[in-house]
Amino acid sequence: MYCSTFAILTYLEIHFSIWLFQSIHSYHSSLISRQGKIIGHITTEEFRQATLRCCKSVQRKEFISDITKLMNNQNLSSKNKLLCLAVFDDQEGTLRFGGRLKCSFFTNDKKHPISLLKQHHITKLIVNYLHVFNLNVGPRTLLTIMR
């Protein structure tokens, strides 16, 4: 019951974000072309954008001082936990981890994962969703899936 509630909440939050994205896009397109609303199934790009927006909102809430320093090309303080992780701000405005995979042939999402706090509610929802979705795998397998 506990894990299924988290999975349902994650599902609802992402789909609400997709609905919101579709509504805003529909409003803008109706202003430009007067063609009306977007209808149909959720596309993979809409799902990716909604997930990215959820992660960005978490980052804007938790890492606001770090984000402003990075956007102003200032250095992070020497006591900052993100400093040793080579965090950078990508083109979409999300904080991502740098590292040794930058020369690999993986996609940018795989090379540079999005940074989230482990104590945040959204992070726990994502972990619990992946845990249940993958049939209650162990911690090492779950960590491999998340990477």
Side-chain angles (χ1 to χ4, degrees):
M1 175 71 180
Y2 180 73
C3 286
S4 65
T5 304
F6 277 115
I8 290 169
L9 285 175
T10 304
Y11 179 82
L12 291 176
E13 287 174 352
I14 289 174
H15 279 75
F16 175 74
S17 181
I18 292 169
W19 171 81
L20 187 63
F21 175 72
Q22 284 180 336
S23 299
I24 291 169
H25 183 71
S26 173
Y27 175 73
H28 287 293
S29 66
S30 68
L31 288 178
I32 295 170
S33 64
R34 302 284 184 210
Q35 291 182 359
K37 295 183 179 180
I38 297 174
I39 55 173
H41 298 287
I42 297 169
T43 64
T44 54
E45 181 60 26
E46 289 171 341
F47 188 80
R48 191 185 77 75
Q49 288 292 330
T51 306
L52 195 61
R53 279 197 169 89
C54 288
C55 292
K56 273 195 228 181
S57 69
V58 169
Q59 287 180 347
R60 297 289 179 241
K61 182 180 176 189
E62 300 295 331
F63 301 118
I64 189 68
S65 63
D66 300 327
I67 291 171
T68 54
K69 285 182 181 180
L70 287 172
M71 292 180 97
N72 295 330
N73 293 326
Q74 297 175 349
N75 293 331
L76 298 174
S77 68
S78 61
K79 295 181 182 179
N80 195 324
K81 294 179 182 178
L82 297 177
L83 189 62
C84 64
L85 299 172
V87 175
F88 67 95
D89 197 12
D90 69 355
Q91 305 95 331
E92 297 171 337
T94 56
L95 286 180
R96 293 183 176 268
F97 296 121
R100 61 184 176 81
L101 294 176
K102 64 183 172 187
C103 295
S104 69
F105 295 110
F106 292 124
T107 63
N108 279 339
D109 288 337
K110 196 146 191 102
K111 283 193 271 189
H112 307 292
I114 296 173
S115 61
L116 295 173
L117 287 178
K118 69 177 181 179
Q119 301 91 355
H120 198 274
H121 180 68
I122 294 290
T123 309
K124 290 178 183 177
L125 288 174
I126 292 169
V127 170
N128 283 324
Y129 172 75
L130 289 173
H131 178 68
V132 171
F133 184 76
N134 291 291
L135 305 173
N136 300 323
V137 295
R140 288 186 181 201
T141 308
L142 185 60
L143 187 60
T144 303
I145 292 168
M146 285 189 294
R147 288 182 179 160

